Amino acid sequence: MEQHQKWMAYAMSLAEKAEALGEVPVGAVLVRDGEVLAEGFNQSITLNDPSAHAEMLCMRAAGEVVGNYRLLDTTLYVTLEPCPMCAGAMVHARIGTLVYGASDPKTGAAGSVMDLVRHDALNHQLEVVAGVLSEPCANQLSAFFKRRRAEKKALKQAQRAELDSSDSA
């Protein structure tokens, strides 16, 4: 469990990079034999790419590193439970273990909404370790969305104030 916490903390530091870009703060790191193969963080907005989730970018980079789309004997650490797109890619990549922090009750595909990564009809199932540093991971996401809602509210108020002042002029 100590190793899982170490790598999840690393993934959280990657999520901070996403947040600095205005992206939803999700980070991912792929590890094999105690070494980082690749890492990623959300960049869908930055790259104008709906598939640029932390996990997808991490797996793409790992494929380049190992020269293969099969990422055998690896563990993927991600701060948020993967969505169906990412979960499907993990199955195709043959990742051995998925370790995630916060559960995603809206789109989680590793046990929350569905369990794609362990579906017995598929030709590969991942081992799943859920809830590693779940509270700090969830807090990182919650703080981001709370701040974003406050920013949107402030912008609307400023726009209303500008309209009101132009109407009275």
Side-chain angles (χ1 to χ4, degrees):
M1 189 54 104
E2 191 175 308
Q3 280 291 13
H4 289 333
Q5 291 177 344
K6 168 192 163 185
W7 291 116
M8 189 60 68
Y10 185 88
M12 289 180 70
S13 73
L14 295 169
E16 291 172 6
K17 292 181 179 186
E19 186 169 4
L21 295 173
E23 301 275 357
V24 175
V26 177
V29 60
L30 190 67
V31 176
R32 182 189 288 160
D33 298 325
E35 299 289 325
V36 173
L37 272 183
E39 58 188 44
F41 51 88
N42 274 2
Q43 295 184 62
S44 294
I45 298 165
T46 304
L47 299 176
N48 298 308
D49 180 354
S51 70
H53 289 193
E55 304 94 307
M56 298 294 285
L57 295 174
C58 183
M59 287 185 285
R60 285 180 193 143
E64 291 292 322
V65 169
V66 301
N68 197 329
Y69 72 102
R70 298 281 194 232
L71 303 172
L72 304 172
D73 304 315
T74 58
T75 300
L76 181 65
Y77 293 87
V78 62
T79 58
L80 179 65
E81 180 182 0
C83 71
M85 173 185 67
C86 295
M90 289 174 205
V91 170
H92 286 295
R94 305 295 194 275
I95 287 174
T97 304
L98 164 66
V99 181
Y100 71 84
S103 294
D104 186 344
K106 293 183 180 180
T107 64
S112 290
V113 175
M114 63 187 76
D115 200 352
L116 191 59
V117 296
R118 293 180 286 202
H119 198 287
D120 59 4
L122 299 177
N123 60 348
H124 177 73
Q125 292 81 36
L126 283 72
E127 178 184 339
V128 176
V129 180
V132 174
L133 298 182
S134 63
E135 194 171 319
C137 288
N139 289 343
Q140 188 176 40
L141 287 157
S142 295
F144 169 79
F145 286 114
K146 183 178 181 180
R147 189 168 43 260
R148 195 156 88 171
R149 284 189 300 272
E151 289 167 357
K152 284 183 179 183
K153 184 178 179 182
L155 179 62
K156 282 183 182 179
Q157 289 174 338
Q159 289 170 339
R160 276 192 222 125
E162 188 176 312
L163 269 173
D164 291 345
S165 67
S166 66
D167 285 347
S168 62

